[in-house]
Amino acid sequence: MIMIKPTPTPLPPGTPYFILPDGYGLWASTDTAIQYWHWLGEAQTILQLIIVIFLVIVFIVTVVRWVNVMMEEDSKR
């Protein structure tokens, strides 16, 4: 005879960690951000370059640290 496990009972709805105000909207600040972006003019390219360089550096540092952790774990074995 095959025993079938009982179906788990559903949990009650959870409580949120924080509550967003009713006036909050995800896209509420996009108009202002676009205005600031256009206001930068020629500095847009420089800002993009700085952001890309920063992201590349963060990626490289993260990968190097991950490789070092893996090598340390491998040397312990």
Side-chain angles (χ1 to χ4, degrees):
M1 183 168 168
I2 298 175
M3 297 291 289
I4 299 175
K5 294 182 180 181
T7 304
T9 56
L11 296 173
T15 56
Y17 290 111
F18 57 90
I19 298 172
L20 296 174
D22 291 334
Y24 178 79
L26 181 61
W27 302 107
S29 63
T30 54
D31 292 336
T32 307
I34 292 170
Q35 285 177 345
Y36 284 143
W37 183 253
H38 289 298
W39 177 73
L40 286 173
E42 295 296 322
Q44 291 175 1
T45 306
I46 297 169
L47 183 62
Q48 284 179 342
L49 187 61
I50 290 171
I51 291 171
V52 168
I53 290 172
F54 175 75
L55 290 174
V56 168
I57 290 172
V58 167
F59 177 75
I60 290 172
V61 167
T62 304
V63 169
V64 167
R65 286 185 181 176
W66 178 73
V67 168
N68 286 338
V69 167
M70 289 298 176
M71 291 181 71
E72 287 176 8
E73 288 181 4
D74 191 42
S75 65
K76 289 180 183 179
R77 292 182 184 185

